[in-house]
Amino acid sequence: MYNLGFAWFTVSAILLSTVWSTGSSGALELVILRMVQAVGGALLMANSAAIITDAFRPSSSASPSDEQVVGIVGSFLGILVAGCSPGGMALVFLANVPVGVFGRSGPSSS
């Protein structure tokens, strides 16, 4: 499910960067594709908390709350970067692609 979330989120980011319509039809396409991307994001967030909880025991310095704080900060910074991006919104969506590719191709547990 976690890898499926990475793939879903990454493919959705690519599709979001290719929206060519403008005006209200472009906005509708972006909203619909963001809802599709949210499904991948939900798979990532729900499963990553479970993986971190399983991987790090209570005596460890990492905890699920650390992961949630990083996620919230990333969401906030994403809004700032999108607003200041000179390349337009397409580049902001494409910034997710390397993260999705490298995150999905990382070491796997058997």
Side-chain angles (χ1 to χ4, degrees), residues 11-63:
V11 169
S12 299
I14 293 169
L15 292 174
L16 278 160
S17 71
T18 62
V19 170
W20 60 87
S21 303
T22 58
S24 60
S25 61
L28 182 62
E29 290 174 22
L30 284 173
V31 168
I32 290 170
L33 285 171
R34 286 291 283 178
M35 289 190 309
V36 170
Q37 189 181 36
V39 173
L43 286 168
L44 282 171
M45 291 299 289
N47 289 300
S48 64
I51 290 169
I52 288 176
T53 301
D54 187 48
F56 297 102
R57 298 295 169 212
S59 62
S60 174
S61 61
S63 69

